[in-house]
């Protein structure tokens, strides 16, 4: 994605942190979701070519849902 972005382009993605609903989602809803903590999400962005100084991971107050923003300067 980094290579495809124009200069000053941005990537905005969401993520779910491990939480108490995981069992319900897996066993009842039958979704095989990938859960990542903030460090893992940030590592994916930097491994994909983004500079850590231009990446942010923002969680809502109970830290289940995140938005990651990565900019290509």
């Amino acid at each position: 994605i980094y290579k495809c972005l124009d200069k000053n382009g941005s990537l905005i993605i969401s993520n779910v942190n491990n939480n108490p609903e995981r069992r319900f989602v897996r066993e009842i809803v039958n979704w095989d979701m990938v859960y990542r903590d903030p460090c893992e999400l940030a590592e994916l962005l930097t491994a994909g070519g983004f500079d850590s100084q231009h990446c942010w991971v923002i969680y809502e107050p109970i830290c289940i849902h995140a938005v990651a923003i990565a900019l290509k300067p």
Side-chain angles (χ1 to χ4, degrees), residues 1-2 4-12 50 54 56 69-73:
I1 294 172
Y2 182 85
C4 294
L5 283 175
D6 291 335
K7 184 177 178 183
N8 297 317
S10 59
L11 169 68
I12 302 172
F50 290 96
H54 297 102
W56 299 269
I69 303 164
L71 305 177
K72 181 178 181 178

Side-chain angles (χ1 to χ4, degrees), residues 2-72:
Y2 182 85
K3 291 178 183 180
C4 294
L5 283 175
D6 291 335
K7 184 177 178 183
N8 297 317
S10 59
L11 169 68
I12 302 172
I13 57 173
S14 63
N15 181 68
V16 179
N17 200 8
N18 194 13
N19 66 80
E21 293 180 347
R22 183 177 189 161
R23 183 175 175 199
F24 172 81
V25 171
R26 184 183 67 241
E27 294 179 11
I28 305 302
V29 182
N30 199 28
W31 286 354
D32 190 19
M33 297 191 45
V34 176
Y35 297 85
R36 293 190 174 93
D37 66 35
C39 291
E40 291 172 319
L41 186 56
E43 287 172 3
L44 283 174
L45 294 171
T46 56
F50 290 96
D51 183 328
S52 62
Q53 292 181 333
H54 297 102
C55 297
W56 299 269
V57 178
I58 304 163
Y59 276 88
E60 38 70 42
I62 58 174
C63 295
I64 294 176
H65 300 96
V67 171
I69 303 164
L71 305 177
K72 181 178 181 178

